[in-house]
Amino acid sequence: MTPSRIGGDAVHALLRAVQRRWRGRAWLQGALAALALAAAAALLLLGLDALVGLETGARAVLRWLPALLAGVALALGARTARRLGDTRRAALLVEERDPALEHLLTTALEGDLSGPTGAAFRRRAEVRARAVSPARVVPVDSGRPAGWAATGLVALGLALALHPVGLEGLRARWVHLEDGRAAGAGPGAAGAGAVADPTAPPPAFTGLALEVTPPAYTGLPVRRSDASGVVPVLPGSVLTLRVERGGGVVEADRVGVGPLRLESGAGAAVARWTVGPADRGVDLRLRPAPDGDVVDRRVIALSVLEDRPPEVTLERPAADLVLAQASGTVRIAARATDDYGTGPWELHWVRSSGSGESFSFEEGTWAWDAVERRGDTLVGVLDLDVAGTGLGPGDVLHVRAEARDRNDVTGPALGVSATRLIRVADEDGLAEVTTLIGFPIERERDPVLSQRMIILLTEELIAARDTLTDERFAAQAAQIADEQDRLRERVEEVMFVREAAPDEHADDEPEPADPTRPPPALEPPGHDHDGSPIVEVNNDLVSAFNAMWDASRLLRQAEAEPSLPPQHVALDHLQALREADRVYARGRVTRPPLDLAAARGTGEVDEARPAARVRGDAAPDAAHWRGDVEAALSALGDDADAALALRLRDLAAALLGAPDGSVEAASAVARAADRVDAAEPEDARRLLAQARRALTPARSAGTGAPLPVATDAAGAAWLARRAAAPDTADARPARGAPVTPPFVFATARYGSGDWDSAPLVPSNLAHSLAQYTSLPVDGEGVIVDLSSPELLRYPFVFLTGHLPLRLDEAESENLKRYVERGGFLFIDDHNHDIDGAFHRSVLSELARIFGADALQPLPSDHALYSTFFPFEDGPPITGHELSGWGDGLIHRELFAIEQGGRIGVLYSNKDYASEWNYHAENKRFLALDNTRFGVNVLLYALTR
């Protein structure tokens, strides 16, 4: 400041003195408040510990409370001390405390005091400043804080002096976090070799603390737990367990793995290990001496999580595409999300050409044109040049997005999207075109456009409405109406087909169609009085015809949008007609009915030597564990019961280690033991009821009871007699006898490929079962989606095809669930070619779903080959192998994935689908029935 703007030495001396006293008072009061708060907090903690006995984990956190409160008080004091750091603030405080100053100080500090008047004002301010006492402005009155601090310190001193465990005991509990009692130590177990003190209380666990460090690839933080309840962990996580106890010897086991080594310390033991897939939990036992009885026990249940593969969604195209020709651009867009980050991902493609038994395949991957990260999701886009793919008429391109995660412990895991098919229509399939991509702008009049294509053209015209004049819009709408009329005329030709009888006007030229002429006077469907049989059998055609007329009329009036509803009505009726006539690509083939009753027992079974049919490992039955839980519920009282708590912990450890146990049940029982210790019976009952529910298995579909079969020639003869004379006495079941539901042959339908390539196999094998066994059989069979829960209703499912098998996540998860719950899936390669896309894709999909080593060769002495008919050399050779179709090889073995000692998935690349895909009546022309091995497969699936 310049000399003209300062208030003089007296003014500044006063202000500096006031600031010093202000800071001193603030720091003193803060320190006294810190002492008082710290003493009060210490007294509170000592009191709580004396009353309830705080656990080690609680003490480890709460022991910092006094220091925290003291720090807060000091921080508040420092903040108060800084308030008068500014000289002007100090001047304002002095003037507030001494109103007689009348703003002399602030004016002297800030005003322009040059000249004679200013000099006189400064002299006046100095005189008044010398008269002000800093002690009167900032009195230091710390009597009350000092009294609080003194009272707190005295009380704390008395508490420490009178505490029953003394200063050393308190130091052990609050500084070293011990329990203040003697603790042993020794090799192999925490506390081994301790000498028991007969006057000391019995040893007991006083605290558990678990630290979970997830694998590095997850990027997750370290998590701490008190080890109560089920602790979820990922494989590869590092666990650090701290066990606190009052004396005794601690033993520890990793349930499902082996002993756990504990490093002992003062009153505590620490273990550190890496979690593997087999870990189920930790069993801790406390003994007073190495050879003593268990006096306390703790069970920590671990739930080892499965790191799910990335979730991949193919967003565009939203459905399969059929192109008119191999041109244009198809935009492919997909997104991939993973719980812990997605790694590299790409678009996988397979191009298939040919038909029937002659297919060629080519596959590869494409990188995305652009990849964008949106949070945890990766979005990829590729604009596919159809001409550059090499597709020709009738060729199919299978595309799906594939992503791997960053799991370097148990992975990386592969996530896949649904598969989309991009097909180029051949000359006979142009009516199936589903998109304008690849549709030529200049097109010939023939062939007639399908209703779907007319809808697409109308939608394209509506989208371009703003860019067209009214005249141009009306002209293009009229062109679409012309296409609609041509299709309507074709429907009319089909609907009004003439009878085969001679017609005198048969050679007359047909009258030209008049687009303005109203449609024939047809009654709507459902009116059959005076009914024309032509109309009666063509209800869908009639409805489609009338809807097409409405659409054409609206289009000629340039009303494109109103024409779409009748167009869709026409499409729905045409599609219903196609499905009813079984003429669409994936429908069930119409086949003549079978007389299974007549076939019953007619098969020759002289060569049959059925092996003993032994079921695989039974599903775990936890009834005995439920009984133990029920007994514990009955013994549960209202008071604490140390013996019952220990018994419950024994049960929890047994549940955790048993194959038919349950991690959830073990955790609930262990927590119930804690509630028993705390004399909280209602919580203990609730937890035991939860354990009982966890031990009650859900009802499982997919497997059935063993079914009766003809095991020798005499049995077959009896079945033949019963079939010939169904009214005989011995053919009637006893009144009230259980009725076995018929076996239903299920064919799997999946989202990619040609799942229905062998439509006659189900009825043929059903016929064979009727010939050779007494098994009740449904002659039709069913088609079940591989992703549907209905899959679990059928104990046997057949899957075949020529094209690549590409399962999405829903299909994959449902298939795995089906096999794990006892289902039997028979996959047969219709190509009989080990280098074909179906074979390669099946091996890839099974490895992805069940593991790389799950599918193994099936030895020729497996029970499958002797279940009914004997096949001593393994699987029988098919005619297609002998004739050199496919790869020209004879495949000597089948492959299987076993679950619980039984086959869950049977895979064949011998092409039994072709071998058995004929009408059952034609078996009479065969020298040896080639479906006999199919009988073995079915009986194995139904009796294991």
Side-chain angles (χ1 to χ4, degrees), residues 23 126 146 179 388 501 513 588 626 656 700 748 815 831 896 927:
R23 286 194 293 269
E126 289 187 33
D179 58 6
R588 295 180 62 185
R626 292 196 301 275
L656 204 58
S700 174
L815 173 58
N831 288 311

Side-chain angles (χ1 to χ4, degrees), residues 217-345:
Y217 76 87
T218 65
L220 297 176
V222 176
R223 188 176 77 254
R224 292 173 176 82
S225 167
D226 60 359
S228 62
V230 179
V231 180
V233 291
L234 285 164
S237 298
V238 177
L239 269 58
T240 303
L241 174 64
R242 182 181 176 87
V243 184
E244 299 180 3
R245 80 273 186 243
V249 179
V250 180
E251 299 173 347
D253 287 318
R254 289 169 62 188
V255 180
V257 179
L260 177 63
R261 181 175 177 80
L262 292 168
E263 299 294 336
S264 60
V270 177
R272 184 181 177 89
W273 76 101
T274 301
V275 174
D279 276 277
R280 292 172 63 86
V282 179
D283 179 16
L284 298 168
R285 300 176 299 278
L286 186 63
R287 304 178 189 272
D291 56 350
D293 294 332
V294 175
V295 294
D296 202 356
R297 195 167 193 170
R298 293 291 185 273
V299 177
I300 303 173
L302 299 179
S303 175
V304 181
L305 306 176
E306 179 183 0
D307 184 3
R308 299 174 301 179
E311 181 179 341
V312 186
T313 304
L314 191 64
E315 297 181 330
R316 296 184 63 178
D320 294 344
L321 300 179
V322 182
L323 312 182
Q325 60 182 11
S327 62
T329 300
V330 176
R331 168 152 289 196
I332 301 176
R335 62 176 59 239
T337 305
D338 187 71
D339 296 332
Y340 311 109
T342 302
W345 72 311

Side-chain angles (χ1 to χ4, degrees), residues 578-592 744-749 755-764 766 778-784 794 917:
R578 290 169 63 84
E579 293 178 359
D581 290 344
R582 303 280 195 254
V583 297
Y584 53 98
R586 291 191 176 183
R588 295 180 62 185
V589 175
T590 303
R591 46 186 180 263
V744 179
F745 192 106
T747 301
R749 173 168 50 199
W755 58 266
D756 58 343
S757 62
L760 296 177
V761 169
S763 61
N764 199 2
D778 175 86
E780 283 294 315
V782 297
I783 295 172
V784 57
Y794 304 103
N917 191 35

Side-chain angles (χ1 to χ4, degrees), residues 20-79:
R20 284 195 300 271
R21 289 186 65 84
W22 179 273
R23 286 194 293 269
R25 186 181 72 172
W27 280 110
L28 177 61
Q29 290 179 343
L32 292 174
L35 286 174
L37 288 174
L43 284 171
L44 176 63
L45 294 179
L46 290 177
L48 286 175
D49 192 26
L51 289 175
V52 300
L54 294 174
E55 296 289 342
T56 303
R59 296 201 308 274
V61 175
L62 293 176
R63 64 179 178 172
W64 301 107
L65 181 61
L68 176 64
L69 294 177
V72 171
L74 290 174
L76 292 175
R79 180 182 177 186

Side-chain angles (χ1 to χ4, degrees), residues 627-641 643-645 647-648 676 681 685 688:
D628 290 341
V629 173
E630 292 286 357
L633 277 167
S634 301
L636 187 61
D638 294 333
D639 300 324
D641 188 339
L644 177 59
R647 199 173 86 194
L648 286 175
V676 170
R685 287 189 181 91
L688 289 176

